[in-house]
Each structure stands twice: as C-alpha cells, then as structure tokens.
Amino acid sequence: RKKTITMKTLFVVLLSVVLLISFSGCCQMPPVQQNFDLNRYLGKWYEIEKLPAYFEKGNCIQANYSLRDDGTIKVLNEEMLDGEMQSIEGTAIVKDSEQPAKLGVSFFFWQPYIPYWVLSTDYDSFALVYTCVDMTFFHAEYAWIFSRSRTLPNSTVESLKEQFTSNGIDISKMSATVQTGCTNEI
C-alpha cells in the first residue's frame, strides 16, 4: 500500500513539473493591429489553425462577432462535435479605446475578461489572434489563424505563422482545424 501512495505522489509531482516547464514563463506582449476597425472585423470567421485549446475539440469551428445595442460584442463560437453542432455565446469588450485591437472576452458571468488580441488582420481574408493569461508560476497561451473562408492557401498560413514566431510566440504545437465536410452554415 505504501508503495502505491509513493508512486501516485511521484506521478503527480512529475506531472506538475512537466506542466510547469511546458507553460512556465510570462506571456509575450506582441504588437496588435494598428488602427484596428472593429466594425470591419465583425462577422463570421473560420478557424484555420490553433494552438491546442482544451475548450475546442470539434471540427468546422467558426466564430461570429456582432455588435450589441449596449456596445458590447456578441461572440458566438460553434463547432461540430460527434456529429452535432455545439455552441457557446460570450461577450467581448474593447478594454481600452486607445488600443481597440486589445479586446477582452468572457463566456460566463463569473469569468473575468481574458485578453483577446487581434495581432493582424486584413478584415477580408485573415486574422491572427493571441490570448495569454499569466498565473503567477505559469501561463495559458492560445493563438489562432482565422479566415473569412474555410480555407487559406498554405503559403498564406505559413506567412501568418511567421508573424507569430517573429513575436516570440511558440507555435510548434499549432495544428490545423478540420474544415472539410462542413456545411456552409452549421
């Protein structure tokens, strides 16, 4: 019995160390889109690639942003999971009118707004988004490549990835989102 407890303890300690090393350090502070125009950014975006996100498990992932009457932004994220559409609605806000590309987003009334930074967009075909939250000894980091269509040319994706790496964002675990077999509107 004592050996089992020791092995479990060792496993927990080793897992904690691995996680700490994997996510240690501080968040990067990349520059965001200059002269960001929120109204041009609104609308539907399809996820092309992302850093792993525990809250996204499906295919055909898309987000739709629309302005509410109170000035906040409705965020509707959708994905196809196990053959069924799953969705979650959240709220985004412009945290600082001097830097409108630095938004905050929340999906639950009790959740504080987390950073949602638009690093780069041409509004018509692509957007690069970065989220990172520092938590004392580690950080949680996410990055996305979005498109107005379900696909982007590989050369465009590689160029966009270079923008992440040139800002110190590790995208070695970035993976493509399956956008095939999707209907135009889920």
Side-chain angles (χ1 to χ4, degrees):
R1 168 120 179 136
K2 188 173 184 174
K3 193 175 199 178
T4 304
I5 293 172
T6 304
M7 291 302 286
K8 284 181 182 177
T9 304
L10 180 61
F11 176 75
V12 169
V13 169
L14 287 175
L15 181 62
S16 299
V17 169
V18 167
L19 288 174
L20 189 60
I21 292 169
S22 298
F23 299 101
S24 62
C26 296
C27 292
Q28 298 298 318
M29 300 298 283
V32 295
Q33 175 81 24
Q34 293 295 310
N35 304 310
F36 180 71
D37 184 344
L38 177 62
N39 289 319
R40 290 184 63 199
Y41 187 77
L42 298 175
K44 186 173 287 187
W45 289 96
Y46 298 98
E47 184 180 279
I48 303 301
E49 292 205 16
K50 68 173 175 248
L51 285 179
Y54 72 92
F55 47 85
E56 292 181 340
K57 301 291 184 199
N59 299 332
C60 306
I61 299 173
Q62 59 190 38
N64 199 337
Y65 305 94
S66 56
L67 202 54
R68 292 188 174 125
D69 290 340
D70 65 1
T72 63
I73 301 138
K74 175 183 172 183
V75 179
L76 180 62
N77 287 348
E78 299 174 296
E79 67 179 358
M80 192 64 74
L81 185 63
D82 299 325
E84 293 190 25
M85 183 185 79
Q86 307 287 322
S87 65
I88 187 168
E89 185 176 317
T91 299
I93 59 169
V94 175
K95 297 188 84 168
D96 177 358
S97 61
E98 296 294 315
Q99 295 187 70
K102 289 185 176 182
L103 297 118
V105 67
S106 175
F107 288 95
F108 306 100
F109 74 91
W110 47 265
Q111 176 192 27
Y113 286 96
I114 59 170
Y116 178 101
W117 291 6
V118 180
L119 303 187
S120 180
T121 185
D122 68 356
Y123 304 101
D124 298 318
S125 63
F126 76 88
L128 287 176
V129 174
Y130 178 69
T131 294
C132 192
V133 179
D134 279 316
M135 294 178 242
T136 310
F137 297 111
F138 66 96
H139 69 275
E141 183 175 54
Y142 305 100
W144 294 269
I145 296 174
F146 291 120
S147 175
R148 293 289 190 184
S149 63
R150 291 197 185 274
T151 61
L152 275 177
N154 287 340
S155 59
T156 303
V157 171
E158 291 307 313
S159 174
L160 295 171
K161 285 179 170 183
E162 177 54 36
Q163 289 185 47
F164 282 131
T165 57
S166 68
N167 285 298
I169 299 166
D170 179 5
I171 58 162
S172 61
K173 294 180 181 165
M174 190 166 257
S175 63
T177 300
V178 175
Q179 289 287 357
T180 56
C182 308
T183 59
N184 276 345
E185 301 298 321
I186 356 187

